[in-house]
Amino acid sequence: MNRQPHIVVVGSANVDLTTFTDHFPRPGETIFGREFHLGFGGKGANQAVAARLCGARVSMVARVGDDLFGPATIENFTARGIDASHVWITPGVSSGVAPIFVDSSGQNRILVVKGANDRLSPSDVEGASDLLRGADCIVLQLEIPIETVYHTLRFARAHGIRAILNPAPGQALDLAEVSNADYVIPNETEAEALSGMPVRTLDDARNCASKLLAGGLRRVIVTLGANGALCAGADGVRHIPPFAVEPVDTTGAGDAFIGSLACFLASGCAEAEAIARANLYAALSTLAVGTQKSFVALERFEAEWRAVTYPPSPPGGGFPAPAEPKSR
Ligand code: RIB
């Protein structure tokens, strides 16, 4: 790392209730699940943890409930070395929770109850303005009110601070507001919600990214799971190949990508390498169960990075045929 960046995440914190099951019950049916895990999650918190593990100084701006989970979530941030001085407990509201179901292929289905996350307001962001002004990068997702997201993006643009928006969970957005972000990073489903067009293939992803750029977005990275990532901007489109792994649980892999990417970019890494690193960081997170607890520490990541071949992309940054996954 060239320098230690300061990253501020304005976003959600949940507690994840993860059930592993080979089948899903039909309406009216009761079946047995295989295993259960309780862990800290929430897209914002996960991204903060990933950035912290990759070496950034990280601050969180968030709201939790006044239940069992609220103080525990704050403690989790503090134990991980994340500044939680702008994480507030909201009286009379539950914390965000996420019942998650993971099938035998490692694929997940997530239901989020936003709870206190839905109370994070533009005035909270104003209350954290001194903190935000000192950030190298502000990271946002969509598990908090949309007006708070737009407000923070406007703040970031007005103060010349790099902003990354992960438009998750997917929804239609005001592209004029979103164009205040330096990077918009959806997965295929979120890209579909944002653009209104299907994103099932690499070609779809390229067309979708072009449409979003034409709509005013500055830079778009579509994360493609096992197919890597596609980065598009005024300078063209580039496909960054994946790292082949046998996933156990993909929950939080997108957050591992976003948090690590924020750190790699802000610490001075060139964009293509930062994305390739984030691809590997996300791939490694799928090898263990859970969200935050599946994220690897910097030392392990650097050892894995040294063991792979980089750069693998075709010269010119064109849009190649679907790449063979690189082996680790
Ligand atoms: O991206 C994974 C996360 O989505 C989980 O941690 C869950 O809390 C939901 O926010």
Side-chain angles (χ1 to χ4, degrees), residues 18-320:
T18 308
T19 300
F20 292 81
T21 180
D22 297 331
H23 308 284
F24 291 93
R26 291 187 299 251
E29 189 187 24
T30 303
I31 61 168
F32 293 115
R34 223 177 338 109
E35 225 178 293
F36 174 77
H37 284 260
L38 185 69
F40 294 104
K43 295 182 192 303
N46 295 344
Q47 293 169 18
V49 168
R52 176 73 193 131
L53 286 168
C54 288
R57 179 158 78 85
V58 179
S59 303
M60 187 79 200
V61 177
R63 281 196 173 270
V64 292
D66 67 348
D67 49 15
L68 275 180
F69 296 148
T73 299
I74 293 176
E75 257 174 63
N76 177 54
F77 286 133
T78 308
R80 290 179 173 279
I82 294 171
D83 162 37
S85 56
H86 292 81
V87 179
W88 300 284
I89 294 184
T90 314
V93 185
S94 78
S95 291
V97 291
I100 299 176
F101 302 92
V102 181
D103 67 21
S104 38
S105 72
Q107 190 57 253
N108 61 61
R109 292 165 171 81
I110 306 179
L111 223 160
V112 173
V113 180
K114 291 203 276 181
N117 295 306
D118 219 16
R119 303 293 181 94
L120 191 72
S121 66
S123 59
D124 291 332
V125 173
E126 285 306 309
S129 59
D130 285 349
L131 177 78
L132 288 162
R133 261 193 283 272
D136 294 299
C137 178
I138 298 174
V139 180
L140 294 138
Q141 327 70 33
L142 302 180
E143 290 180 330
I144 57 173
I146 195 65
E147 61 269 22
T148 307
V149 173
Y150 292 159
H151 181 87
T152 312
L153 288 174
R154 277 183 240 126
F155 179 98
R157 177 112 321 254
H159 292 88
I161 303 160
R162 173 185 277 154
I164 293 179
L165 173 66
N166 170 219
Q171 56 180 275
L173 295 173
D174 179 341
L175 291 192
E177 296 279 5
V178 172
S179 69
N180 285 317
D182 297 275
Y183 285 91
V184 178
I185 311 183
N187 66 14
E188 293 109 314
T189 329
E190 293 145 11
E192 222 169 293
L194 209 54
S195 66
M197 55 192 285
V199 182
R200 295 197 192 97
T201 64
L202 284 168
D203 265 338
D204 289 348
R206 182 186 54 183
N207 293 335
C208 168
S210 304
K211 182 173 176 186
L212 293 173
L213 292 176
L217 302 202
R218 290 158 195 273
R219 234 165 160 68
V220 177
I221 300 175
V222 184
T223 57
L224 302 162
N227 287 314
L230 183 105
C231 178
D235 54 344
V237 180
R238 177 192 283 258
H239 175 242
I240 291 95
F243 294 89
V245 288
E246 298 272 338
V248 180
D249 177 6
T250 57
T251 317
D255 300 330
F257 180 93
I258 304 278
S260 63
L261 180 71
C263 177
F264 297 138
L265 284 174
S267 58
C269 213
E271 186 186 71
E273 181 178 330
I275 297 172
R277 280 173 167 263
N279 271 348
L280 178 61
Y281 193 82
L284 293 172
S285 80
T286 68
L287 300 178
V289 299
T291 44
Q292 295 174 21
K293 54 189 173 190
S294 70
F295 297 173
V296 301
L298 187 59
E299 201 175 304
R300 158 92 192 279
F301 171 75
E302 289 297 350
E304 296 281 354
W305 179 252
R306 281 193 294 275
V308 299
T309 327
Y310 182 82
S313 322
F319 189 87

